[in-house]
Structure formats: structure tokens, C-alpha cells
Amino acid sequence: LNQLCTLLFSVLPHETKVIMPFSGSEHHLARNFETSQNVYLPRRTSDYVVKKGRKGLGLYATGNISKGGAIFQNSLQYTLTDVEDGDHVMFHSGSNIPTQKTRIAHNVVPPRIQLHSDIIFTHGIPVYSEDRSGASSGIISQHVQIPSMLMNHSCEPNTIYTQNNAGNDQFIALRNIKEGEELTCSYSLLYYDEGPVNHKCLCGTKKCNKGEIKGFKYLKPEEQDRLVPDATKAVRSIFMADMGVVDPVTYHQPLVAERFSQAPLYSVIKSIRMVWPNPSSSFANVAVRKTGDDNSYSLLATRDFREGEKVYSFWSELWPVDPIDGKVAVEMVFPLAKMESDPVEGTTLWLDPLECGKKNSDGKFMFSGYDLLTKHSCSPNLVYDKKKREEKFNWQAAFAARDICKGEELTVNFNALLWDRAGIKIPTCTCKSEICAGTSKGFRYLSVIAQKKLWQNGGRHFSPLVREHCNRYDSYHDTESNENEENLSHDLSLDSESTAQSVESWRSLYSEDSDPLPPTANGSRLV
């Protein structure tokens, strides 16, 4: 009967209601074959905020930017080439997923906007890459860049697009930019003859000719000579080819993986497909690779790290939720790879919040992209330098809890990060460390002896959520936790007076004002 259900599963329509064998209850097979993607673009960062004005959506500075400064220095930046009809740009990863069209005020930014396949040409920019075959002077492909895809044109722009020899691209301030000022660029320097050109210019600056936005090809010869040093490498290459100075260029789009769902066969949790930055977007020295007998993805160090050194930074947001079913699984899709350590574009991973999610001090799941690929170990090599008052910041960091060798798998201690992980499928820990607790269900399910050892051997690994629970006597000495009570009487046989003294010691250890990063074994402190 089980084999028959498995066979019929592939032909059943989405959300088909079936009776699972021997279960005695009905279940929805949430095998999600929806392949439309949500491209995550934060609505607000410390660099910009997305607003809706007379020219449509645009980016506005959230602070003063000095001349020559990088525009998106503290924002998520990544590139993709895989865009299809039905995809969306999502501005709030932690907001409710829209299930139907809602009326949005004309000046309000919606939770997400629908995309079309031609957005790769209307909002993407041509990018140059070397033709190693020597058949042409270069290869030109269209890339959609986040978040600059929302920058509007101006005849008197305040930013300019640059690309160094290493292939790193960024927008630089041409002059001092004040807080609240719209961030603009010149489309004439980004596009040659195709793109968002031949439209009426609405910039309203003094230099605006109030005519059509022109690509570089249609500028006057004297304007071309003056602006060619500031044009992108792609525009310069096409221009030089048209002038006959170099060989013609080749137009070619990168191949992307075919979209398909990674949902487990009998998964009953809904999912959302979301494009999220790869490690190279934050210059992280980590690689996403398949490891272990189960061939699952993990994070590996790409160089040696000393104890206390920052290993990588990552962006953290509230986990997406469904207005009816609550938390959903995320099919995380990687964008265009910029480094060899990045997965190829289109690589998709199924992330269940109950299996890999980490919570903030309010008990809410946080989505942190590739950081969720860290595995559990009772003797981890990573620790998060995070206090409760710092959780409001999106950028978080992971530090080396000990010396880490190149190629080593990166691990964290889920028992020190989460209070209760009772919903995980495999709660048994097999890390084989000397202080292995035998479980990864969370701090609540450890014996008092294991809890004490965890503090003595790595108290700096504790999250604000666990410290918050340890500060509450009622939560720590939960009478409903029969397993803890049995471990307590079996391991220590403590009476009520000694238990109260133990709880008082925990309160002093885990107060928010105390240093969450005590001295390490060699006497140093993480900074």
C-alpha cells in the first residue's frame, strides 16, 4: 500500500487530499511543484530605503554619503540571470506571504512586485566577461543586480557604476549625497543601444533635455568622447567594436539549472522559493559543499582561522510566514556565482525551520541564508557574538570558537542556541566529542550536569534566547519537563535548597549585563 501511494503521488495534482496508510487521519500532500521565485531585496538598509514616487519605485539614501563612498556598502548585493514570468521581488522576507491581490495605496511600497522574463533587459545591465576562446573581443550578458535594479535615471546623476580588474562591481558617489536624496545613475553609461532607453526622461534636473533617455550609441560624438572613460566596460567594449578598433563582441546568456522543487516526498509543510545571496556577496571565506554520507550541503572554511577571528558575516531576517499555516519551509535558491566557493546559479536547498532554524530572544525563527547550513556539534568551532540588544541589526557575525583549519566543516551547538528543538526528526547527536550530550533537542532537554558542563566548556556559545530562559526560574525549573526532572534526580539528587542555589547561580551567569563572551582557554577574549 505504501508503494502504491508513492507511485500515485507523482500524478496527483497539487494539494491533493489523501488518506495516509495506517495513519487514520487525512493529510495534505504539500508537494510544491511551484517554481516561481521570490527575489529578496530588503526594503530598508542602513544605505537606502525603497520608496514609491512620481517615477515609480526608487532608492533613497538613509544617511549622508561622502563623495567617493560606496553606495551599498552595508547592503545585500548579488546578481542573477535566471528570471521567468511569474517571479517576484520580495521586500519583506518575514512578512506574510500574499495569498491574493490586495489594494495598495499609490504611494505605498507593496510587499512584493511581479516580474516578467524581459526584466533581464529592461532592468538588467550588460556585463562584460573575457572570451577565453579568443573568438571575440569579449562576451556580453545581461545581469539583474540587487538592489541597483531599482535605481532611476538622471541626466545629472549622483552615483556611477564601476568595475575593477577583479570583477567586483559597485556604485560610487559622484558627490556628497544627503539623507533622503534619491540615488540615481546615468542609463547612457550603462546601456549601449538596448535597455530602459528611448523613454521620456523625468529626472527634472537642470541639465535634463526633457527628451528621450539615450543609450551611449545615440549620443553626440563629442559626448561619447567625453563620457567613454566613465562608461561601463561592457559599453566601452561594444563601442570599440562598432568603431572597428577591436573584434566584434559575442552576446551570450549563462546557462542556468532547470527549476524543480526540493520538497521531501511526504512533506506536509508549505514552502516558498526564495533567491538569497551566496557567501561571496559578503566576502565570506566559506564554501557551500556536499559532505557526509547523506550528501547534504554544509559550510566549509576556505582558509585557516585563529580563535576569536571573524569567519563570516551574514544577513538575518524574520522567517517567512503564511497567514494561515504559519511558518513555511524555504527553498533557498543561490544566484549567480562570483567565486569558486559559491554554488552554481539555480542550486536549490530545502530549509525547514524546525530542522535548521535559529531563534531570536523573542522565540521567533530567523532566516539567515547560507548560515543555516552549519551543522550541530557539542564541541563547535563557531560562536555568534550576539547580545539581545544587538538583534535589531540585520548583519550578524560568526567567530571562530577555536582554531579552524582550511576545509573543516563549520559547526555550532544547537543546545546552546535553542531552548527547545523537540520537532526535529533526528534528535540524537553523533558528534563523538568528549563532552557530547547525546542529543541536539535544545538546552531544556539536557541534564543539569550537561547544562553545567556546557557552561564550563563553552558558555560564550549561549544565545540571548537560552540566557533569557535561564534567567527565569519557572522556565528553568519547569515542572512539566519530566525528562529534566528525572535527569536532575538521577544525576545529582539535589534537594530543593541546593536547586534554588543552582538557579541563583544561573541568574548571575546569564544576566544581560554580564559579558556573554568569557575568557577562552588561553585567556583571550573574542572581539
Side-chain angles (χ1 to χ4, degrees):
L1 184 58
N2 283 322
Q3 293 175 348
L4 179 61
C5 286
T6 302
L7 177 64
L8 293 176
F9 182 83
S10 60
V11 297
L12 291 175
H14 178 59
E15 290 291 327
T16 299
K17 185 180 293 186
V18 299
I19 304 296
M20 295 299 295
F22 315 118
S23 66
S25 61
E26 293 181 340
H27 291 272
H28 287 277
L29 289 183
R31 181 74 169 179
N32 188 2
F33 291 99
E34 179 65 42
T35 58
S36 61
Q37 298 181 162
N38 293 274
V39 181
Y40 179 58
L41 191 158
R43 181 181 176 271
R44 175 183 288 273
T45 71
S46 57
D47 299 320
Y48 70 87
V49 60
V50 179
K51 291 184 179 180
K52 195 172 184 179
R54 62 185 182 89
K55 294 182 289 185
L57 295 178
L59 303 181
Y60 295 78
T62 53
N64 298 327
I65 305 175
S66 302
K67 180 180 179 180
I71 301 299
F72 305 117
Q73 186 173 5
N74 299 306
S75 303
L76 289 180
Q77 297 185 74
Y78 62 97
T79 304
L80 66 150
T81 62
D82 181 18
V83 181
E84 296 181 359
D85 292 340
D87 291 349
H88 290 81
V89 168
M90 176 183 285
F91 296 114
H92 303 278
S93 72
S95 61
N96 286 344
I97 301 171
T99 55
Q100 58 184 1
K101 293 183 178 180
T102 56
R103 185 182 298 275
I104 302 294
H106 71 280
N107 61 341
V108 175
V109 177
R112 61 179 189 169
I113 55 175
Q114 188 170 352
L115 302 177
H116 301 281
S117 58
D118 60 353
I119 196 113
I120 194 76
F121 300 102
T122 60
H123 288 71
I125 64 173
V127 176
Y128 171 88
S129 59
E130 182 183 355
D131 187 354
R132 297 183 179 180
S133 67
S136 65
S137 60
I139 300 175
I140 305 298
S141 56
Q142 293 288 130
H143 294 186
V144 174
Q145 296 186 334
I146 303 297
S148 58
M149 63 169 291
L150 293 182
M151 291 182 68
N152 289 313
H153 167 80
S154 175
C155 298
E156 196 174 352
N158 52 20
T159 73
I160 187 172
Y161 176 81
T162 63
Q163 186 177 30
N164 57 26
N165 294 331
N168 298 322
D169 40 32
Q170 59 182 341
F171 282 84
I172 301 296
L174 287 173
R175 55 175 174 79
N176 293 334
I177 301 176
K178 296 182 180 180
E179 179 181 353
E181 186 177 348
E182 184 177 8
L183 302 173
T184 57
C185 61
S186 174
Y187 288 175
S188 299
L189 301 178
L190 296 178
Y191 303 94
Y192 189 70
D193 57 353
E194 294 182 355
V197 294
N198 302 323
H199 296 284
K200 184 177 181 181
C201 182
L202 302 174
C203 69
T205 60
K206 295 180 180 179
K207 295 183 179 181
C208 181
N209 56 16
K210 298 182 180 179
E212 291 183 344
I213 302 174
K214 296 181 179 180
F216 191 87
K217 178 179 180 179
Y218 304 104
L219 297 178
K220 296 179 180 180
E222 57 271 20
E223 289 181 311
Q224 291 179 338
D225 293 339
R226 177 174 58 87
L227 296 176
V228 68
D230 296 328
T232 64
K233 195 171 183 178
V235 170
R236 292 199 306 268
S237 300
I238 302 173
F239 176 65
M240 297 296 286
D242 273 5
M243 297 291 291
V245 178
V246 298
D247 294 335
V249 297
T250 300
Y251 293 88
H252 177 72
Q253 283 297 108
L255 297 177
V256 295
E258 183 180 357
R259 297 184 182 183
F260 60 92
S261 176
Q262 293 286 352
L265 184 59
Y266 289 108
S267 175
V268 295
I269 183 174
K270 288 187 176 180
S271 66
I272 178 175
R273 193 177 179 95
M274 186 161 58
V275 182
W276 197 268
N278 41 40
S280 66
S281 63
S282 56
F283 305 100
N285 292 299
V286 298
V288 178
R289 294 287 184 266
K290 287 184 177 181
T291 60
D293 298 334
D294 57 353
N295 213 24
S296 61
Y297 282 91
S298 302
L299 278 187
L300 304 180
T302 56
R303 68 173 180 85
D304 296 337
F305 293 93
R306 299 191 63 182
E307 181 179 359
E309 187 178 358
K310 184 170 74 171
V311 179
Y312 61 86
S313 299
F314 60 94
W315 186 275
S316 181
E317 277 274 7
L318 288 175
W319 198 287
V321 297
D322 185 275
I324 298 177
D325 298 324
K327 295 291 182 296
V328 299
V330 173
E331 292 192 79
M332 183 176 67
V333 183
F334 284 101
L336 185 68
K338 290 293 186 71
M339 299 174 62
E340 293 183 359
S341 57
D342 293 334
V344 297
E345 183 177 11
T347 300
T348 307
L349 306 182
W350 174 272
L351 301 175
D352 188 335
L354 297 179
E355 293 293 329
C356 62
K358 304 177 181 74
K359 295 182 179 180
N360 60 11
S361 57
D362 294 330
K364 297 181 179 179
F365 281 108
M366 305 298 294
F367 188 83
S368 52
Y370 59 85
D371 170 68
L372 296 172
L373 301 181
T374 53
K375 299 297 179 63
H376 167 78
S377 174
C378 295
S379 182
N381 53 21
L382 284 185
V383 58
Y384 300 110
D385 182 14
K386 185 169 63 175
K387 297 181 180 180
K388 182 178 179 180
R389 56 179 173 269
E390 296 173 345
E391 288 185 336
K392 62 181 180 180
F393 301 111
N394 292 109
W395 281 111
Q396 303 292 340
F399 294 83
R402 54 172 174 80
D403 290 346
I404 301 176
C405 298
K406 180 180 178 180
E408 186 177 346
E409 186 178 38
L410 300 179
T411 58
V412 296
N413 191 339
F414 279 103
N415 292 327
L417 298 177
L418 294 170
W419 181 257
D420 192 335
R421 296 182 71 221
I424 61 175
K425 296 179 181 178
I426 305 177
T428 304
C429 177
T430 58
C431 69
K432 299 180 182 179
S433 69
E434 295 180 356
I435 58 172
C436 181
T439 181
S440 61
K441 290 178 64 176
F443 189 85
R444 174 181 179 178
Y445 295 93
L446 301 180
S447 66
V448 172
I449 285 183
Q451 292 173 346
K452 290 286 188 179
K453 283 184 178 180
L454 187 58
W455 169 256
Q456 295 170 357
N457 291 278
R460 63 187 185 279
H461 301 249
F462 279 49
S463 68
L465 174 67
V466 173
R467 289 199 296 270
E468 186 83 11
H469 277 287
C470 289
N471 273 329
R472 301 173 185 171
Y473 174 83
D474 292 337
S475 296
Y476 179 75
H477 193 62
D478 191 350
T479 55
E480 296 180 359
S481 179
N482 296 326
E483 184 175 350
N484 267 3
E485 291 297 326
E486 293 175 1
N487 290 332
L488 179 68
S489 58
H490 175 72
D491 293 331
L492 291 181
S493 301
L494 294 177
D495 55 21
S496 58
E497 181 179 357
S498 60
T499 302
Q501 293 175 353
S502 176
V503 171
E504 288 300 323
S505 66
W506 282 108
R507 287 178 174 174
S508 62
L509 288 174
Y510 293 104
S511 63
E512 178 62 23
D513 296 331
S514 63
D515 185 4
L517 303 176
T520 57
N522 59 10
S524 63
R525 286 179 182 267
L526 296 176
V527 292

